[in-house]
Amino acid sequence: MRLDKFVSTASNLSRRDASRAIAGGHVSVFGKTVRDGAFHVDEGDDITLDGKPLLYSRFLYLMMNKPSGYITATEDARPGERVVSDLLPPELARRVFPVGRLDRDTTGLLIFTDDGAAAHRALSPKRHVEKTYRFTCSPPLTDEMIRALEAGVDIGEKNSAGEPILTARARMSGNTITITEGKFHQIKRMFHAVGSEITSLARVSFAGIELDGALAPGEWRYLSPEEITLFTGE
Ligand code: URA
């Protein structure tokens, strides 16, 4: 591929800014400065921008610590509504989409990618991908409520014969709950079903990827190679 395509993909610079960086002598290929954007390179080549190695990946994967007050949708935002993609640089926001949804008042781990197949796998109910949420609720859960949440509860879902479908088994541990489904408002509906109400909800892990504690609400970073493997399942 062309060097300007490699640099723009690996660095998230626009194609024009990547060309400028190359022409300005900021890019080296195998240690040698190359100023020609059309120069031919391959995926695994040793290419640096201002001395920092660039890793070419066909797809982008990143995590955000979603703040409260932002909606996850990309299209159906009403005017004036704050959307999670507003928190990404515009270049990136145009490329990636959020994997699944968190409610406006839910905070925590939200993954973005442009890898549609991996996102589809991560969200597929058949794959039982684990999502862990930290919660506060009122009234506090009794042992009986905890047992019911773990065993599966009726949140109003029905099969084609009109019979209730219970939620899949969940794991409770202190103030966290781990589920393998992703139905609309699922945790809130589960707590409601046992007689408690969620008062705060934060996702702390998804598919084995933990929310990075160094990210303040609204901040994001790229996934590490290990996290990408957890996410893509490959
Ligand atoms: N369950 C909910 O009720 N809300 C979320 O945002 C995520 C899971």
Side-chain angles (χ1 to χ4, degrees), residues 133-135 141 146 171-177 191:
Y133 295 84
R134 201 176 46 234
F135 62 85
L141 297 176
I146 292 172
R171 215 169 51 241
M172 305 290 297
S173 170
N175 64 342
T176 69
I177 176 168
F191 277 62

mmCIF file of all heavy atoms in Angstrom, residues 133-135 141 146 171-177 191:
data_model
loop_
_atom_site.group_PDB
_atom_site.id
_atom_site.type_symbol
_atom_site.label_atom_id
_atom_site.label_comp_id
_atom_site.label_asym_id
_atom_site.label_seq_id
_atom_site.Cartn_x
_atom_site.Cartn_y
_atom_site.Cartn_z
ATOM 1 N N TYR A 133 -21.151 -5.230 35.698
ATOM 2 C CA TYR A 133 -21.598 -3.889 36.083
ATOM 3 C C TYR A 133 -21.482 -3.741 37.596
ATOM 4 O O TYR A 133 -21.824 -4.660 38.348
ATOM 5 C CB TYR A 133 -23.071 -3.687 35.713
ATOM 6 C CG TYR A 133 -23.334 -3.719 34.225
ATOM 7 C CD1 TYR A 133 -23.505 -4.921 33.550
ATOM 8 C CD2 TYR A 133 -23.428 -2.541 33.496
ATOM 9 C CE1 TYR A 133 -23.745 -4.955 32.185
ATOM 10 C CE2 TYR A 133 -23.674 -2.561 32.129
ATOM 11 C CZ TYR A 133 -23.832 -3.772 31.481
ATOM 12 O OH TYR A 133 -24.070 -3.794 30.133
ATOM 13 N N ARG A 134 -21.011 -2.558 38.032
ATOM 14 C CA ARG A 134 -21.045 -2.203 39.453
ATOM 15 C C ARG A 134 -22.318 -1.403 39.678
ATOM 16 O O ARG A 134 -22.640 -0.532 38.861
ATOM 17 C CB ARG A 134 -19.802 -1.379 39.799
ATOM 18 C CG ARG A 134 -19.469 -1.376 41.264
ATOM 19 C CD ARG A 134 -18.195 -0.637 41.559
ATOM 20 N NE ARG A 134 -18.157 0.626 40.865
ATOM 21 C CZ ARG A 134 -17.178 1.008 40.064
ATOM 22 N NH1 ARG A 134 -16.140 0.215 39.858
ATOM 23 N NH2 ARG A 134 -17.210 2.177 39.474
ATOM 24 N N PHE A 135 -23.023 -1.718 40.742
ATOM 25 C CA PHE A 135 -24.319 -1.056 40.925
ATOM 26 C C PHE A 135 -24.491 -0.555 42.347
ATOM 27 O O PHE A 135 -23.837 -1.026 43.274
ATOM 28 C CB PHE A 135 -25.473 -2.029 40.597
ATOM 29 C CG PHE A 135 -25.510 -3.229 41.510
ATOM 30 C CD1 PHE A 135 -26.157 -3.176 42.750
ATOM 31 C CD2 PHE A 135 -24.872 -4.411 41.157
ATOM 32 C CE1 PHE A 135 -26.178 -4.273 43.599
ATOM 33 C CE2 PHE A 135 -24.880 -5.525 41.992
ATOM 34 C CZ PHE A 135 -25.535 -5.436 43.218
ATOM 35 N N LEU A 141 -30.286 -5.327 48.396
ATOM 36 C CA LEU A 141 -30.723 -6.674 48.020
ATOM 37 C C LEU A 141 -30.719 -7.604 49.228
ATOM 38 O O LEU A 141 -29.791 -7.586 50.040
ATOM 39 C CB LEU A 141 -29.776 -7.248 46.956
ATOM 40 C CG LEU A 141 -29.722 -6.508 45.621
ATOM 41 C CD1 LEU A 141 -28.657 -7.132 44.707
ATOM 42 C CD2 LEU A 141 -31.090 -6.519 44.937
ATOM 43 N N ILE A 146 -30.871 -11.809 45.688
ATOM 44 C CA ILE A 146 -29.612 -12.178 45.027
ATOM 45 C C ILE A 146 -29.750 -13.542 44.364
ATOM 46 O O ILE A 146 -29.378 -13.731 43.205
ATOM 47 C CB ILE A 146 -28.434 -12.165 46.045
ATOM 48 C CG1 ILE A 146 -28.165 -10.722 46.488
ATOM 49 C CG2 ILE A 146 -27.171 -12.791 45.449
ATOM 50 C CD1 ILE A 146 -27.170 -10.576 47.619
ATOM 51 N N ARG A 171 -24.113 -13.742 37.634
ATOM 52 C CA ARG A 171 -23.214 -13.964 38.773
ATOM 53 C C ARG A 171 -23.199 -12.695 39.613
ATOM 54 O O ARG A 171 -22.979 -11.605 39.079
ATOM 55 C CB ARG A 171 -21.819 -14.267 38.236
ATOM 56 C CG ARG A 171 -21.051 -15.252 39.060
ATOM 57 C CD ARG A 171 -19.786 -15.750 38.394
ATOM 58 N NE ARG A 171 -18.928 -14.707 37.888
ATOM 59 C CZ ARG A 171 -18.598 -14.577 36.615
ATOM 60 N NH1 ARG A 171 -19.101 -15.407 35.715
ATOM 61 N NH2 ARG A 171 -17.783 -13.616 36.228
ATOM 62 N N MET A 172 -23.468 -12.835 40.900
ATOM 63 C CA MET A 172 -23.458 -11.674 41.797
ATOM 64 C C MET A 172 -22.211 -11.771 42.677
ATOM 65 O O MET A 172 -21.898 -12.849 43.178
ATOM 66 C CB MET A 172 -24.694 -11.686 42.705
ATOM 67 C CG MET A 172 -26.018 -11.756 41.995
ATOM 68 S SD MET A 172 -26.431 -10.245 41.120
ATOM 69 C CE MET A 172 -26.558 -9.069 42.463
ATOM 70 N N SER A 173 -21.530 -10.647 42.885
ATOM 71 C CA SER A 173 -20.377 -10.640 43.769
ATOM 72 C C SER A 173 -20.302 -9.251 44.393
ATOM 73 O O SER A 173 -19.944 -8.289 43.720
ATOM 74 C CB SER A 173 -19.122 -10.963 42.963
ATOM 75 O OG SER A 173 -17.980 -10.747 43.749
ATOM 76 N N GLY A 174 -20.689 -9.145 45.670
ATOM 77 C CA GLY A 174 -20.721 -7.830 46.322
ATOM 78 C C GLY A 174 -21.638 -6.900 45.548
ATOM 79 O O GLY A 174 -22.801 -7.225 45.292
ATOM 80 N N ASN A 175 -21.085 -5.755 45.123
ATOM 81 C CA ASN A 175 -21.930 -4.808 44.379
ATOM 82 C C ASN A 175 -21.697 -4.899 42.872
ATOM 83 O O ASN A 175 -21.839 -3.906 42.160
ATOM 84 C CB ASN A 175 -21.722 -3.369 44.884
ATOM 85 C CG ASN A 175 -20.307 -2.893 44.620
ATOM 86 O OD1 ASN A 175 -19.409 -3.701 44.383
ATOM 87 N ND2 ASN A 175 -20.109 -1.590 44.636
ATOM 88 N N THR A 176 -21.325 -6.093 42.402
ATOM 89 C CA THR A 176 -21.253 -6.269 40.945
ATOM 90 C C THR A 176 -22.137 -7.417 40.500
ATOM 91 O O THR A 176 -22.374 -8.373 41.243
ATOM 92 C CB THR A 176 -19.813 -6.524 40.438
ATOM 93 O OG1 THR A 176 -19.390 -7.809 40.890
ATOM 94 C CG2 THR A 176 -18.842 -5.455 40.845
ATOM 95 N N ILE A 177 -22.599 -7.282 39.264
ATOM 96 C CA ILE A 177 -23.393 -8.336 38.642
ATOM 97 C C ILE A 177 -22.806 -8.596 37.258
ATOM 98 O O ILE A 177 -22.461 -7.646 36.542
ATOM 99 C CB ILE A 177 -24.896 -7.951 38.558
ATOM 100 C CG1 ILE A 177 -25.690 -9.043 37.808
ATOM 101 C CG2 ILE A 177 -25.132 -6.586 37.915
ATOM 102 C CD1 ILE A 177 -27.216 -8.892 37.937
ATOM 103 N N PHE A 191 -33.460 -5.845 38.356
ATOM 104 C CA PHE A 191 -33.579 -5.410 39.756
ATOM 105 C C PHE A 191 -35.041 -5.075 40.075
ATOM 106 O O PHE A 191 -35.555 -5.431 41.137
ATOM 107 C CB PHE A 191 -32.640 -4.222 40.031
ATOM 108 C CG PHE A 191 -31.232 -4.657 40.326
ATOM 109 C CD1 PHE A 191 -30.486 -5.344 39.376
ATOM 110 C CD2 PHE A 191 -30.647 -4.411 41.563
ATOM 111 C CE1 PHE A 191 -29.188 -5.777 39.638
ATOM 112 C CE2 PHE A 191 -29.354 -4.831 41.850
ATOM 113 C CZ PHE A 191 -28.627 -5.513 40.882
#
